[in-house]
Amino acid sequence: MQEKIQRIKAPQLVNRVVTAEEAATWIEDGMTLGLSGFTRAGDAKAVPTALVNRAEAGERFKVNVYTGASLGSNIDKMFAEAGIVNKRLPFQAEPVMRNKINTGEHFFVDQHLSHTSELLRAGAIDSIDYAILEAIMVTEDGLLIPSTSIGNSQAFAEFADNIIIEINTAQPVELEGIHDLYSPNQQGDREPIPLTQPNQRIGTMGIPLDMDKVKGIVFTHQLDSPSTIVAPDEETQMIAGHLLDFLREEVKAGRLSESLMPLQSGIGSVANAVLHGMIDSEFHDLVVYSEVLQDAVFDLIDAGKVNFASACSLTLSEDKMKQVFGEFEKYRDKLILRPQEISNHPEIIRRLGLIAINTALEFDIYGNVNSTHVSGTRMMNGIGGSGDFARNSRLGIFVTKSIAKGGDISSIVPYVSHVDHTEHDVDVVVTEQGYADLRGLAPRERVPLIIENCAHPMYREQLWEYYNEALERGGQTPHVLEKAFSWHISFKEHGTMKMPLKAQI
Ligand code: COA
């Protein structure tokens, strides 16, 4: 216990240690919780679990759950199964919770990840009753040092009425020093955010705590859930290859150097594979300014390709976690973790000129992208940071495989069934077939490029048939509106988007 208490260096907090069970009893029906955690990293683990245990023992209550992004440690799964969620925001990626959202059993607000703290600051969403934040320690001068993610923890600490701290002794203390906390003022009373280089520190090493708000401190000892990324396959490697070809053309044209511009890469297997593709490329002295650092970034650091990486969370596979935390000194001066409103801030993304690579579920012949809704209605994960980055980056790139479900779904459709990123925010689309550079092209110029370079050959004729019929009707962006969703309807009714030509319903 003495060793644990040493993690609480602020003397006035030492006597606030409680059990997770006791802390969980403070939470009442109708409250709003702000939980640390971003893409399975740095989530509060013990108090949320104790809260689920209350529900399993028969208590009936519901809470609103705000986080940084998705949670690990099965928290979202247990919350969903226990039926204790009224509203969840701004992101999740958990199958049981996804089902509950899609059956309407609880509400989900799918939010740009840089927006949550602004909405709290403006008082525009329910305020937080309890922030429950994972930390590795609290310093003498009252700074909470987060663990493997920062996410929204700073905003939750700032705007919550009460704070519960979970000090996780399984998280490496070596993380102290990699965080950089900065909180902008109210809008209307704000200076430019003084960050002009990805490796710049602009704030404090931890989250400044209002000691009076700290109601309890709980000790835990549990590693983060490892990431679930699958290794690159043939198709994701081909996507990476095409993306590298596009970047090479940019270098040839003198628009980029071989060090490119700061890279952002989204979540998921495809985005991870794309970064992996950089390892054996000629690109060098790369810098990452992203929201999640997955395994590939550390492989790139090891390969001497990436000099510096800034993000708001570290989400690693089990083996990578062991390796990175086992030799953290090697990485310490190459990493900064920031709050998600800074990692995803439009002002900074535009200033730094990011190359943003995110994944689409589907895109259409004009370049609109759907990243969230399967067949236009069923939530997958959420928009996450993809909108923050795509809209404001120098190059907004979307990648996807050209077909899904063994070819019964074409990821290139006449009209996306849900729009997350409009044609105005999308610069380049890439599949395993090739890439289409849409910059400066009118809608009618984009169509041939998208069909011929990106669509799977088995769907090209069908796309041409749709477009040719649309052309007969004219317009800046020609469509046959009554057939625009015929591909999705065909999949629902016949299990495939493949239709006999001249028979699009
Ligand atoms: N229609 C229906 N399902 C589709 C589809 C489509 N057009 N395209 C892909 N899918 C399915 C796949 O078949 C797969 O299903 P499975 O889990 O049953 O096997 C699933 O979607 C995931 O596809 P996969 O190709 O493995 O991609 P991924 O792991 O890279 O994830 C997203 C892709 C879009 C779901 C994911 O990147 C995401 O949630 N993005 C939005 C948030 C975001 O971009 N954040 C970035 C900032 S960090």
Side-chain angles (χ1 to χ4, degrees):
M1 192 62 178
Q2 199 48 39
E3 199 182 316
K4 287 183 182 174
I5 291 290
Q6 283 169 8
R7 301 279 190 112
I8 310 175
K9 297 188 193 308
Q12 60 274 56
L13 295 184
V14 171
N15 60 2
R16 297 195 204 169
V17 176
V18 292
T19 62
E21 289 66 32
E22 185 181 347
T25 62
W26 303 332
I27 292 157
E28 295 167 16
D29 184 36
M31 280 188 169
T32 295
L33 311 180
L35 306 185
S36 68
F38 194 104
T39 324
R40 301 167 78 81
D43 33 37
K45 299 168 175 71
V47 181
T49 306
L51 194 61
V52 169
N53 292 341
R54 272 178 52 190
E56 283 176 352
E59 274 190 68
R60 289 285 152 263
F61 60 90
K62 279 189 191 289
V63 289
N64 298 322
V65 181
Y66 302 175
T67 60
S70 57
L71 301 177
S73 319
N74 279 336
I75 303 290
D76 270 333
K77 180 171 187 273
M78 292 190 296
F79 272 18
E81 283 171 348
I84 61 172
V85 179
N86 173 55
K87 187 179 281 185
R88 177 80 174 84
L89 65 80
F91 186 81
Q92 63 75 48
E94 204 290 315
V96 178
M97 178 163 277
R98 180 182 297 153
N99 268 338
K100 297 258 178 178
I101 290 167
N102 287 321
T103 55
E105 283 169 75
H106 64 73
F107 297 116
F108 175 54
V109 185
D110 180 18
Q111 224 164 46
H112 293 301
L113 295 186
S114 72
H115 283 193
T116 312
S117 50
E118 294 284 23
L119 289 162
L120 281 170
R121 191 174 283 117
I125 52 176
D126 282 345
S127 62
I128 294 175
D129 297 290
Y130 276 92
I132 310 174
L133 309 176
E134 182 172 277
I136 52 171
M137 67 174 75
V138 180
T139 65
E140 271 165 22
D141 44 355
L143 291 179
L144 177 146
I145 309 293
S147 59
T148 40
S149 73
I150 296 181
N152 276 320
S153 293
Q154 166 145 324
F156 292 166
E158 201 172 336
F159 301 114
D161 293 339
N162 305 287
I163 299 171
I164 300 168
I165 300 170
E166 287 193 6
I167 295 186
N168 186 346
T169 51
Q171 296 279 30
V173 274
E174 290 78 13
L175 290 169
E176 184 186 7
I178 67 157
H179 310 94
D180 186 51
L181 281 300
Y182 177 92
S183 176
N185 277 337
Q186 290 283 349
Q187 285 168 331
D189 189 19
R190 188 178 286 185
E191 297 294 317
I193 298 172
L195 196 152
T196 55
Q197 294 298 326
N199 62 356
Q200 204 178 336
R201 303 190 69 93
I202 57 171
T204 52
M205 272 172 46
I207 299 172
L209 286 173
D210 174 345
M211 301 286 189
D212 293 339
K213 288 207 251 176
V214 179
K215 290 290 175 273
I217 300 183
V218 172
F219 283 104
T220 65
H221 190 81
Q222 187 184 332
L223 280 175
D224 288 335
S225 307
S227 78
T228 50
I229 295 299
V230 296
D233 60 23
E234 196 185 336
E235 281 162 337
T236 54
Q237 281 169 347
M238 285 165 80
I239 295 174
H242 294 308
L243 181 51
L244 293 180
D245 286 345
F246 163 74
L247 294 172
R248 284 184 187 112
E249 289 302 317
E250 290 298 287
V251 173
K252 244 190 249 164
R255 289 188 285 267
L256 289 174
S257 76
E258 283 188 352
S259 298
L260 304 176
M261 296 295 275
L263 297 167
Q264 177 264 338
S265 160
I267 56 158
S269 310
V270 180
N272 193 56
V274 164
L275 275 192
H276 244 274
M278 299 258 172
I279 290 180
D280 298 320
S281 74
E282 69 277 33
F283 299 109
H284 55 87
D285 294 305
L286 302 170
V287 170
V288 172
Y289 192 86
S290 197
E291 69 179 32
V292 186
L293 301 182
Q294 304 188 121
D295 287 14
V297 171
F298 289 87
D299 292 336
L300 283 164
I301 293 176
D302 291 343
K305 289 282 182 186
V306 162
N307 294 339
F308 196 85
S310 164
C312 82
S313 85
L314 304 175
T315 301
L316 304 174
S317 65
E318 201 165 353
D319 288 348
K320 204 73 197 165
M321 221 186 276
K322 274 191 202 135
Q323 182 243 313
V324 168
F325 294 153
E327 45 181 359
F328 199 70
E329 281 311 310
K330 185 170 141 191
Y331 301 104
R332 161 183 296 288
D333 62 350
K334 296 186 170 62
L335 295 177
I336 288 184
L337 293 185
R338 309 179 187 279
Q340 69 196 68
E341 74 169 321
I342 301 300
S343 62
N344 292 28
H345 203 288
E347 175 189 334
I348 298 166
I349 293 166
R350 182 68 69 91
R351 179 181 296 141
L352 297 180
L354 258 55
I355 298 175
I357 306 158
N358 290 288
T359 311
L361 280 175
E362 61 179 7
F363 58 84
D364 67 28
I365 54 173
Y366 295 111
N368 299 290
V369 169
N370 172 12
S371 295
T372 57
H373 284 69
V374 173
S375 284
T377 54
R378 292 185 65 80
M379 174 55 65
M380 184 67 144
N381 299 325
I383 193 166
S386 57
D388 292 325
F389 287 103
R391 162 66 63 89
N392 302 295
S393 59
R394 170 179 174 137
L395 279 170
I397 301 173
F398 282 91
V399 295
T400 184
K401 294 181 184 178
S402 69
I403 48 174
K405 305 296 173 208
D408 286 326
I409 290 178
S410 170
S411 302
I412 293 82
V413 288
Y415 207 152
V416 281
S417 54
H418 174 91
V419 191
D420 291 298
H421 312 289
T422 74
E423 50 159 333
H424 313 284
D425 298 334
V426 178
D427 295 316
V428 182
V429 283
V430 190
T431 69
E432 80 290 348
Q433 301 293 324
Y435 71 83
D437 178 359
L438 308 178
R439 291 171 299 170
L441 299 187
R444 288 174 189 235
E445 293 177 290
R446 291 176 215 150
V447 178
L449 271 187
I450 290 179
I451 296 179
E452 291 302 322
N453 294 7
C454 298
H456 194 280
M458 75 165 91
Y459 282 103
R460 282 184 197 159
E461 257 187 285
Q462 212 176 297
L463 285 166
W464 276 119
E465 188 182 84
Y466 175 88
Y467 180 59
N468 286 332
E469 190 178 343
L471 275 178
E472 285 169 21
R473 301 198 182 179
Q476 157 79 356
T477 308
H479 268 300
V480 186
L481 283 180
E482 68 276 20
K483 294 184 178 175
F485 297 129
S486 60
W487 293 39
H488 301 89
I489 295 166
S490 171
F491 180 70
K492 187 164 186 287
E493 291 181 352
H494 308 295
T496 179
M497 287 186 172
K498 201 89 195 78
M499 286 177 273
L501 291 178
K502 298 276 173 219
Q504 296 187 37
I505 48 173

